[in-house]
Amino acid sequence: MIKVYGMSLSGNCHKVRMVLEALHQPYSWTEIDPAKGETRTPEFLARNPNGKVPVVELEPGVYLAESNAIICYLAEGSPLMPADRLLRARVLAWLFFEQYSHEPYIAVARYLCLFHPDPPSQRALLESKMPGGYRALEVMEKTLADEPFLVDGRYTIADIGLYAYTHVASDGGFDLSRFTAIRDWLARVAAQPGYVAMVGP
Amino acid sequence: MIKVYGMSLSGNCHKVRMVLEALHQPYSWTEIDPAKGETRTPEFLARNPNGKVPVVELEPGVYLAESNAIICYLAEGSPLMPADRLLRARVLAWLFFEQYSHEPYIAVARYLCLFHPDPPSQRALLESKMPGGYRALEVMEKTLADEPFLVDGRYTIADIGLYAYTHVASDGGFDLSRFTAIRDWLARVAAQPGYVAMVGP
């Protein structure tokens, strides 16, 4: 059985849970709190030398890190990952977009508001995250205005990867009210079989 | 024939060139200068709504963005991309690591030093990039101390993806002298058949 080491309120970790639940794959979940230094212990660094959650243990002693690599692995051969070469690349393009052009703004803003020990001290940094976050949302809105899902008109791990932090973007101060296509898509994702909501530990 | 829209001195774009050259794949290269606004034109945004290079045109009207998604697509079925499910996921894990934990420090520092219109004004931002960049290099060093390449002991697109900015890390002020395993690996990559050096337009 797959073991997940993750933080339930982290979008990166929640992606892994969403895929496992959608695929009805049995798993165990070990809650890890980075704020308590639990990702910097020698034991954790042996699982992921980069010291970040999530990490999965696929079989005893076989670890895999990086949320989007994990969900690619888990979804292989399922309807959540296309078989076609170009469609697979389009899924990957959205997942790389997520890690470079979306997460560093939208997830970091949420982190500063929800998890930073002194959020008011972070106001300038938080403000600096807004334009990039709205740019990422505009790119998504443009695609979703014409398509029900991000790739090939069907639900894939591209949607799960982008959903994870978009559906909690308001935690970081992003206003989704003008992004009607994104809001409709969020509702479509939440209506998928096996959908699981983000909940605390 | 594949058309590449890229900036030759960008590591993200150079990855694409390295894979095409290693695979002896014919391509054309159109030089794009983001500093001149060439990634913000309506024509360019139709190719990549996120307004970034590289973008490839795989066949007329079929575009693919995100450097690491492009190299996954190009390498599919070649020795540069393993067929095994877990090894593929390990390649992806390194590529996501590159975009999240390496490029935003090492490539951005290089950008500030080489391409910013007023580098001295960016000293504080540059300094802020150093710890994260060295952390990424330490993660690489740890793996490469035991292995000749990043995944499965053989040359893959994980190496190309990480090589692109690591081999020019000194442009951003990073000192690689104590990273002996990385330096040996850089030499091994440069000795691969079909290796192509980064050159200006």
Side-chain angles (χ1 to χ4, degrees):
Chain A
M1 189 171 68
I2 291 171
K3 289 186 187 173
V4 183
Y5 296 86
M7 176 190 174
S8 293
L9 288 174
S10 147
N12 284 328
C13 298
H14 189 61
K15 293 171 196 173
V16 176
R17 195 195 290 275
M18 284 182 74
V19 173
L20 288 164
E21 293 281 346
L23 298 176
H24 308 291
Q25 182 116 25
Y27 64 97
S28 70
W29 185 283
T30 301
E31 194 68 20
I32 299 286
D33 188 348
K36 291 186 184 148
E38 292 175 4
T39 51
R40 312 305 304 177
T41 64
E43 195 181 12
F44 191 87
L45 291 169
R47 294 180 195 124
N48 178 9
N50 200 27
K52 291 184 192 293
V53 284
V55 181
V56 294
E57 188 173 7
L58 298 168
E59 50 187 90
V62 177
Y63 295 97
L64 182 63
E66 295 291 334
S67 60
N68 288 344
I70 294 168
I71 66 175
C72 285
Y73 176 88
L74 295 173
E76 192 62 62
S78 84
L80 293 177
M81 182 58 145
D84 174 80
R85 180 181 178 184
L86 180 59
L87 295 177
R88 294 169 73 87
R90 294 215 184 285
V91 167
L92 289 177
W94 277 111
L95 295 176
F96 284 111
F97 166 87
E98 191 266 339
Q99 285 289 285
Y100 194 83
S101 298
H102 184 288
E103 202 276 12
Y105 303 100
I106 293 175
V108 172
R110 177 173 176 262
Y111 168 81
L112 295 172
C113 293
L114 286 195
F115 303 113
H116 193 279
D118 182 14
S121 71
Q122 301 299 305
R123 189 176 303 265
L125 183 56
L126 177 64
E127 281 302 312
S128 77
K129 298 295 177 186
M130 294 290 122
Y134 280 116
R135 267 198 306 275
L137 293 170
E138 275 153 21
V139 171
M140 292 175 67
E141 179 76 7
K142 196 172 162 152
T143 296
L144 293 168
D146 300 325
E147 298 281 340
F149 294 105
L150 292 169
V151 176
D152 198 33
R154 60 198 170 105
Y155 187 55
T156 69
I157 51 170
D159 301 293
I160 291 175
L162 272 295
Y163 178 87
Y165 284 108
T166 305
H167 88 294
V168 290
S170 64
D171 288 348
F174 290 96
D175 177 4
L176 295 186
S177 57
R178 71 183 163 95
F179 296 97
T180 54
I182 289 179
R183 288 191 289 116
D184 289 348
W185 166 80
L186 290 174
R188 276 192 294 275
V189 172
Q192 291 299 306
Y195 173 80
V196 57
M198 183 185 272
V199 285
Chain B
M1 189 170 67
I2 291 170
K3 289 187 186 172
V4 183
Y5 297 86
M7 176 189 172
S8 293
L9 289 174
S10 148
N12 284 328
C13 298
H14 189 60
K15 294 171 195 172
V16 176
R17 195 195 290 273
M18 283 182 75
V19 172
L20 288 164
E21 292 282 345
L23 297 176
H24 308 292
Q25 182 116 25
Y27 63 97
S28 70
W29 185 283
T30 302
E31 195 68 21
I32 299 286
D33 188 347
K36 289 186 186 148
E38 292 174 5
T39 52
R40 313 303 307 175
T41 64
E43 196 180 14
F44 190 87
L45 290 169
R47 294 180 194 125
N48 178 10
N50 200 28
K52 291 183 192 295
V53 283
V55 181
V56 294
E57 188 174 7
L58 298 169
E59 50 189 89
V62 177
Y63 296 98
L64 182 64
E66 295 291 335
S67 60
N68 289 344
I70 294 168
I71 65 175
C72 285
Y73 175 89
L74 295 174
E76 191 62 61
S78 85
L80 294 178
M81 181 58 146
D84 174 80
R85 180 180 176 186
L86 180 59
L87 294 177
R88 294 168 72 86
R90 294 213 184 288
V91 168
L92 289 177
W94 277 111
L95 295 177
F96 284 111
F97 165 87
E98 192 264 339
Q99 285 288 286
Y100 195 83
S101 298
H102 183 288
E103 202 275 10
Y105 304 99
I106 294 176
V108 172
R110 176 174 177 260
Y111 168 81
L112 295 173
C113 293
L114 286 195
F115 302 113
H116 193 279
D118 181 15
S121 72
Q122 302 298 307
R123 187 175 304 262
L125 182 57
L126 178 64
E127 281 302 312
S128 77
K129 297 296 177 186
M130 293 289 122
Y134 280 116
R135 268 198 306 276
L137 293 170
E138 275 153 21
V139 171
M140 292 175 68
E141 180 77 7
K142 194 172 165 157
T143 295
L144 292 167
D146 301 324
E147 299 281 339
F149 295 105
L150 292 169
V151 176
D152 198 35
R154 60 197 169 104
Y155 187 55
T156 68
I157 51 169
D159 301 294
I160 292 175
L162 271 296
Y163 178 87
Y165 286 108
T166 304
H167 88 295
V168 290
S170 64
D171 288 346
F174 290 97
D175 177 4
L176 294 187
S177 57
R178 71 182 163 95
F179 296 97
T180 55
I182 289 178
R183 288 191 289 115
D184 289 349
W185 165 80
L186 291 174
R188 276 193 294 277
V189 172
Q192 292 299 307
Y195 173 80
V196 57
M198 183 185 273
V199 285

